[in-house]
Amino acid sequence: MAFVRGWREWDLGWLVTCTAAMALGCNSSGDPMGASGSGGSSGAADTTETDADDGTGGTPGTTTGADETGPGDEASGGSSSGPSPECEQDEDCERGSRCLNGAAGGYCCYAIAWDGSCCESGQCFEPDECGPSDSDPKCDENEVCENGSCFETAPIDACAEPSLSPISLPIPGLGDAAALIFAETDGTAGAELVTVAGATVTVSDAVQTGIPTTTTVTVPGKANLVGVVAADLDADGLDELVVVDAEGTVTLLHALGASTYSAIQAIGSSLRPPLQIAELDAVAGPELIGLSDDGYTAFAIGGLMLDNVGEPAPKDVGGTSFDLAVGPLLTATDLAISDDDGVILVSSPDAQTRRVDHIGSAQFVAIRDLDGDGLSNLAIALPNAEDTVVKSWSQDALAAEDGEALRQTLPFVVGAHGWGNIDGDAPVEWIVASGTAVEVVQFGSTTCRQVLVSEVDADLVSVGDVDGDGVDEVVVRSEGGLVLLDALGD
């Protein structure tokens, strides 16, 4: 529907289009910025096409600068000192538009730009502060660029007083391990190191002596195991193991005690690491969750049986690159997924989803108590060419609609990593491989880093309490094989 305002015809149909695509900018005649049109009610002189015989002496098809006249102007507009004000307040404008610059002779505008001007005078949204190319504006030294905006970040510097002097103990015979985890496999104090390689699962106990006692389990029909995850599925105090091979076949191993296992089920699932086991949907039994060709697949676990039909991914989870973490954040159990579109939380008991970050393809996502206050934080790592930005949210920040993340920067690209408590203090430590060393990042009232072991290019890191003293040890794999690092030296 069109209506006549003064001598100009306006069409309200453009308003829907402009609102839906405001990033293009729209002028008051409904044209996108850069298209033909005068800009309408911007206060500038209008251009109207004249006829060849209208008496003005104009050339056919040309335009003149005549504008509508206001009170006191001559009919010809020849003595006009400028266009008349359209409005003094918003009520003077049509519905959906606002009066800009009303006190000094205002004009009506439908699309207001980020700086308060009409969109026809520039772009609707605030221009980017920064960009990825060398020609784009850059952030200050203490800032990082995310989605075109600069955010303050704090450097993670070396600790003023390094306190860790670990002993190193080689673990013989396991240098070809494809994955490392710690699990409770025998019911005694301390966790056992579980490794997978080829068709074999190896459980190593008392590795702090340097001469571990090992138990091996051959997984039937498997030649290339690539991942393993542990959970106590039958509530007997021993962890079952779920292993996956390079073809995506999943095998569930039942803990029998004394670090021995029996394969009870295998399903072809096209699943691959990372793997997690979590209870998210209030249905009996947890889910096995991992990466698939579709980006996400979950298999229900009932007792000691895997459902061989994968469940659909939670709403809005997608992409082909992600990491997983499980822990208490907004509810008793949350699954944090870093996918191609950022970070999304899937919360129990009804698998509700909420996206909390929009920077895709993070290197890892973690749910850990970083500051020792007894509450879990959400953390992700975003690697750049020469550094790694760690973003973390408190539970208060996650609960707030506009809660802001804390950004801290390591001066190297993080490789393999693990989380644990290796010094006996309350806050958790982040153990990271930097390419030339294994370092420990300590959080809490102050955040700093120190070298745990130098001249080691580790490509696998796992953290767990081997000796049952309540303090974790670290196992790393490098070209020299597996090495256990005991930070307390006991």
Side-chain angles (χ1 to χ4, degrees):
M1 181 182 73
F3 65 92
V4 176
R5 187 175 182 277
W7 52 270
R8 165 163 299 199
E9 185 176 80
W10 293 60
D11 193 338
L12 285 179
W14 74 273
L15 180 57
V16 175
T17 303
C18 183
T19 303
M22 192 172 290
L24 295 174
C26 293
N27 60 30
S28 57
S29 64
D31 297 322
M33 287 303 301
S36 61
S38 66
S41 55
S42 65
D46 279 299
T47 57
T48 55
E49 186 171 334
T50 62
D51 295 328
D53 58 353
D54 63 358
T56 63
T59 304
T62 63
T63 57
T64 68
D67 205 324
E68 62 176 306
T69 60
D73 292 331
E74 294 182 6
S76 66
S79 62
S80 172
S81 60
S84 302
E86 290 187 349
C87 60
E88 294 183 358
Q89 54 189 352
D90 291 345
E91 287 75 8
D92 297 334
C93 298
E94 300 296 339
R95 182 178 180 182
S97 63
R98 289 176 51 192
C99 182
L100 299 185
N101 201 29
Y107 56 94
C108 298
C109 179
Y110 279 98
I112 310 300
W114 63 273
D115 59 358
S117 66
C118 199
C119 272
E120 63 193 15
S121 65
Q123 60 183 34
C124 291
F125 297 118
E126 187 170 6
D128 288 346
E129 299 176 72
C130 57
S133 69
D134 292 338
S135 61
D136 291 324
K138 300 300 179 184
C139 300
D140 293 338
E141 185 176 356
N142 63 336
E143 295 179 326
V144 292
C145 182
E146 291 183 11
N147 282 347
S149 297
C150 295
F151 295 90
E152 185 176 356
T153 183
I156 301 179
D157 297 322
C159 297
E161 298 180 1
S163 58
L164 300 175
S165 300
I167 60 172
S168 300
L169 297 172
I171 305 175
L174 299 176
D176 59 348
L180 314 171
I181 65 168
F182 282 91
E184 179 49 67
T185 68
D186 62 5
T188 63
E192 288 71 56
L193 177 67
V194 178
T195 63
V196 296
T200 303
V201 177
T202 301
V203 180
S204 301
D205 195 8
V207 293
Q208 72 272 20
T209 65
I211 307 175
T213 300
T214 61
T215 303
T216 60
V217 178
T218 299
V219 182
K222 301 297 174 288
N224 190 11
L225 297 175
V226 296
V228 57
V229 64
D232 183 4
L233 300 177
D234 55 3
D236 65 353
L238 302 177
D239 288 334
E240 274 63 49
L241 302 177
V242 179
V243 297
V244 61
D245 65 8
E247 287 70 43
T249 302
V250 172
T251 303
L252 193 154
L253 304 176
H254 179 210
L256 302 177
S259 299
T260 58
Y261 284 86
S262 173
I264 63 172
Q265 185 190 16
I267 62 171
S269 65
S270 299
L271 203 66
R272 58 186 184 270
L275 305 172
Q276 286 285 355
I277 294 177
E279 172 57 81
L280 295 171
D281 58 5
V283 179
E287 291 79 46
L288 169 68
I289 304 158
L291 184 62
S292 71
D293 292 338
D294 297 328
Y296 178 103
T297 299
F299 294 87
I301 306 175
L304 293 176
M305 295 298 293
L306 284 165
D307 189 339
N308 59 7
V309 178
E311 301 176 356
K315 181 181 178 182
D316 301 327
V317 178
T320 58
S321 175
F322 71 25
D323 191 26
L324 305 171
V326 174
L329 278 170
L330 302 180
T331 64
T333 303
D334 293 285
L335 174 68
I337 304 174
S338 173
D339 63 10
D340 290 346
D341 297 320
V343 177
I344 193 166
L345 293 180
V346 184
S347 298
S348 61
D350 50 2
Q352 290 296 307
T353 61
R354 175 188 172 191
R355 189 158 301 271
V356 297
D357 192 68
H358 295 275
I359 307 298
S361 301
Q363 183 178 12
F364 77 81
V365 58
I367 299 176
R368 299 283 178 170
D369 179 8
L370 299 183
D371 51 16
D373 65 354
L375 300 175
S376 297
N377 303 86
L378 174 66
I380 64 173
L382 300 168
N384 297 311
E386 298 180 351
D387 59 22
T388 301
V389 177
V390 181
K391 295 177 65 176
S392 60
W393 291 261
S394 66
Q395 293 190 13
D396 287 343
L398 290 173
E401 184 174 349
D402 57 350
E404 185 59 52
L406 173 66
R407 295 169 175 83
Q408 298 170 294
T409 302
L410 281 170
F412 54 80
V413 178
V414 170
H417 63 273
W419 296 85
N421 181 358
I422 67 173
D423 62 2
D425 293 339
V428 70
E429 286 92 35
W430 183 31
I431 295 86
V432 297
S434 66
T436 59
V438 176
E439 300 200 16
V440 179
V441 180
Q442 298 176 325
F443 298 93
S445 56
T446 59
T447 301
C448 65
R449 59 186 176 87
Q450 60 180 293
V451 173
L452 185 63
V453 60
S454 59
E455 298 181 1
V456 172
D457 186 5
D459 57 4
L460 284 177
V461 174
S462 187
V463 184
D465 182 7
V466 173
D467 51 16
D469 65 353
V471 179
D472 292 331
E473 286 75 41
V474 179
V475 174
V476 300
R477 187 189 72 172
S478 64
E479 291 183 355
L482 295 188
V483 176
L484 181 137
L485 306 172
D486 190 342
L488 295 185
D490 56 2

